[in-house]
Amino acid sequence: MGYIVASADDAGGLGPEELQGGQIRRYGVPARLNPEERFEHWRTWYGTAVDTPMRLEKVDSPVRRNFNPTASTLCGPGFSIVELVNEPVAGYWNRDSCSGDIRLVHFKASSAEFNFSGRSEVISPGTVRFLDLSSGGGFTAPAGLATVQLNIDRSLLGLDEKSVKRLQRMTDVRENPMVRGLLLPWLSDWQRTGIERAVHRLGPVARSMMVALISSLLEEPAAGDLKPARLAAIKKFIHRNYRNQDLDVDAVVAYSFLSRRALYYLFEDEYLPVKGYIRMLRTLEALDLLTDPNSRRRSLAGMAEASGFKTLQAMRRAVKECTGSSLRDVQENPEALRSRAHELRKLIGT
């Protein structure tokens, strides 16, 4: 296990890619090297790219021919996300006395045996847990190891040492509703196209999600603002379901366990209220269908139904209000309407 904070230069694997508002870096061993050289390259790079110094050793001899580990990192204000795919390897670390982060790790594939302060634990695929590097230890992963983790500056969460230790003693929190319903989908999707444009907004969201999770796990009142996490969860629910004609404000209220008034308050600083947000997503879906080169092969009523509108007239009104154009105008001038749809997506942050 490693916590990537730097990337190889151009002479190494894949050079860093700098992004506005944050940075995403990717690394892979050079393909031109033979297997033994690839392992040495990975081991050397790994030892300089982690904030907890770690030594890697082979578990197979010889190194498998397709040895191809990778690492990707997104760094934002007060947090980082790391995705790591390790080939068969063993790792050892010394006591981490200087890190101010708390680390939530999703072990995505393959079992590995970890040693924490002399105590052995087998961590199975699917496990989600806080990782404790405060004392020396190591791991052995004969089949490799794939992980994605969220690191948060501990000072942003108001955690004392006792609370941190309680969290680190929890061996698997994957069944927690916050983990299952929000954090895991979010971490699974972090490398999606366009995340660089939103990185400045991810810090408060990541912190809010972690505060909500920790409050749930420790059964203590949250010490931070949960609004960003709740808003992110509700928007995700709407995105998954807006094509369903039965989705309305009442359905969102039932999902969120909030009162209608509290739900409206949650959206008060957004570009649109919750009802308008649902309608806008349906309108954008309709515009995508209407501007598709094959749109004339589909009926307008069918496109309205596929977008989540209950009637064709409802789709006509929504498109007209958002673009000033009729459905026929949209189909006859698709490029202009695609530009308008792009502007609308930026306004609502999708």
Side-chain angles (χ1 to χ4, degrees):
M1 280 293 299
Y3 302 95
I4 313 302
V5 295
S7 180
D9 58 24
D10 292 340
L14 305 178
E17 178 184 356
E18 301 296 334
L19 299 175
Q20 184 178 5
Q23 51 185 326
I24 185 168
R25 295 177 175 181
R26 299 182 177 92
Y27 174 83
V29 294
R32 65 183 181 274
L33 304 179
N34 66 43
E36 291 291 334
E37 290 171 331
R38 287 184 206 165
F39 178 82
E40 291 302 325
H41 194 285
W42 175 246
R43 174 161 60 180
T44 300
W45 174 83
Y46 201 94
T48 64
V50 296
D51 59 4
T52 299
M54 191 169 296
R55 184 178 78 258
L56 296 186
E57 299 293 347
K58 292 186 291 186
V59 294
D60 289 335
S61 183
V63 178
R64 63 170 63 178
R65 292 183 61 187
N66 60 344
F67 184 84
N68 186 35
T70 61
S72 302
T73 304
L74 175 72
C75 294
F79 80 100
S80 65
I81 301 173
V82 177
E83 188 149 5
L84 182 68
V85 178
N86 242 325
E87 294 287 349
V89 72
Y92 307 90
W93 70 86
N94 295 321
R95 181 174 181 269
D96 178 8
S97 59
C98 60
S99 175
D101 286 346
I102 187 165
R103 301 177 171 100
L104 183 70
V105 184
H106 177 210
F107 292 84
K108 299 172 64 177
S110 302
S111 296
E113 183 174 352
F114 277 73
N115 183 296
F116 301 105
S117 302
R119 186 185 74 256
S120 294
E121 294 182 34
V122 175
I123 298 181
S124 60
T127 295
V128 180
R129 64 176 294 169
F130 293 91
L131 205 62
D132 179 12
L133 301 182
S134 59
S135 301
F139 72 92
T140 303
L145 192 63
T147 64
V148 59
Q149 66 191 72
L150 174 62
N151 306 320
I152 297 281
D153 185 340
R154 193 181 302 178
S155 65
L156 298 177
L157 303 176
L159 290 173
D160 58 25
E161 202 62 34
K162 181 180 179 181
S163 296
V164 171
K165 290 298 182 185
R166 285 180 62 191
L167 293 170
Q168 291 171 338
R169 284 195 294 269
M170 298 178 182
T171 57
D172 193 357
V173 299
R174 78 179 90 176
E175 293 304 319
N176 181 278
M178 278 292 300
V179 173
R180 189 174 62 248
L182 184 58
L183 272 160
L184 280 183
W186 191 69
L187 288 174
S188 297
D189 199 33
W190 78 270
Q191 293 198 62
R192 69 190 186 280
T193 302
I195 196 172
E196 68 275 13
R197 295 192 296 272
V199 70
H200 64 284
R201 299 196 299 268
L202 293 181
V205 173
R207 175 177 175 268
S208 178
M209 287 192 292
M210 192 69 88
V211 166
L213 172 61
I214 290 171
S215 174
S216 170
L217 293 172
L218 298 182
E219 299 181 344
E220 295 176 353
D225 180 13
L226 302 185
K227 184 175 179 180
R230 285 174 174 161
L231 187 61
I234 289 170
K235 283 187 173 183
K236 191 173 186 69
F237 170 76
I238 294 172
H239 272 263
R240 287 199 307 266
N241 294 284
Y242 70 84
R243 297 180 186 87
N244 183 340
Q245 295 177 350
D246 293 329
L247 180 71
D248 56 14
V249 174
D250 288 336
V252 179
V253 167
Y255 165 79
S256 64
F257 296 103
L258 296 172
S259 67
R260 183 178 287 260
R261 181 177 179 181
L263 179 63
Y264 289 156
Y265 166 73
L266 200 61
F267 277 78
E268 69 173 355
D269 295 326
E270 297 297 297
Y271 178 73
L272 291 170
V274 61
K275 184 176 181 179
Y277 189 76
I278 297 170
R279 189 169 187 252
M280 180 61 77
L281 289 177
R282 288 171 174 162
T283 304
L284 290 169
E285 180 75 7
L287 288 173
D288 285 344
L289 295 175
L290 288 163
T291 57
D292 185 270
N294 298 316
S295 67
R296 294 186 183 276
R297 299 180 183 178
R298 303 184 62 171
S299 70
L300 293 176
M303 285 189 272
E305 181 180 359
S307 302
F309 290 103
K310 291 189 174 180
T311 66
L312 174 56
Q313 188 58 32
M315 183 175 78
R316 289 186 191 276
R317 286 196 302 268
V319 170
K320 183 72 173 180
E321 290 172 14
C322 287
T323 68
S325 301
S326 67
L327 300 187
R328 178 176 294 179
D329 291 338
V330 174
Q331 289 182 305
E332 291 179 351
N333 190 13
E335 285 304 320
L337 273 299
R338 287 192 193 105
S339 297
R340 177 57 179 157
H342 179 69
E343 294 171 2
L344 292 171
R345 284 192 171 89
K346 287 174 65 177
L347 286 173
I348 65 172
T350 61

